[in-house]
Amino acid sequence: MAFVVTENCIKCKFTDCVDVCPVDCFHQGPNFLVIDPDECIDCTLCEPECPANAIFAEDEVPEGQENFIALNAELSKLWPVITEVTKPLAEADEWNGKEGKLELLER
Ligand code: SF4
Ligand code: F3S
């Protein structure tokens, strides 16, 4: 199993999650982060750190967001690792909680 970043990270990217990951398995795209499922050790530390509540255990991903499991696996192979907290995206607070953000994902 692994933990999965889901839709509410898109256009927020608070990055608090990367600070606690002991195995540096977060990868960063322009407006979204993903977890490499081959590196995640299921430590659970990142889940409560996300201000957007975007991180779930693979078997607890909300209904309708199951496609994010494959998306994390795919994009983590393409995007660079991020290990340090950065500033959230400019309008992160406005986008936090909005639905239908998948189509705004930049690759
Ligand atoms: Fe990293 Fe642990 Fe979160 Fe997996 S569960 S991404 S190992 S902090
Ligand atoms: Fe995204 Fe939450 Fe991390 S918004 S960058 S998963 S802290």
Side-chain angles (χ1 to χ4, degrees), residues 5 14-21 26 33 46 49-51 55 85:
V5 185
F14 286 104
T15 75
D16 302 60
C17 52
V18 306
D19 204 29
V20 295
C21 183
F26 283 91
L33 253 62
C46 57
E49 294 301 317
C50 176
I55 303 176
V85 175

Side-chain angles (χ1 to χ4, degrees), residues 17-103:
C17 52
V18 306
D19 204 29
V20 295
C21 183
V23 292
D24 295 345
C25 56
F26 283 91
H27 293 246
Q28 168 169 225
N31 65 1
F32 185 49
L33 253 62
V34 292
I35 291 168
D36 183 343
D38 295 330
E39 299 292 333
C40 176
I41 56 170
D42 291 324
C43 75
T44 77
L45 290 176
C46 57
E47 185 180 0
E49 294 301 317
C50 176
N53 295 320
I55 303 176
F56 295 89
E58 190 176 320
D59 59 0
E60 292 175 353
V61 168
E63 210 180 318
Q65 295 200 50
E66 295 86 352
N67 50 339
F68 279 86
I69 298 170
L71 207 51
N72 276 243
E74 178 197 342
L75 296 175
S76 63
K77 304 302 179 216
L78 303 175
W79 287 348
V81 169
I82 169 173
T83 57
E84 300 204 347
V85 175
T86 57
K87 270 196 198 163
L89 294 178
E91 296 177 340
D93 288 333
E94 285 80 359
W95 284 100
N96 188 358
K98 290 228 164 76
E99 290 182 7
K101 291 196 277 182
L102 178 54
E103 61 188 48

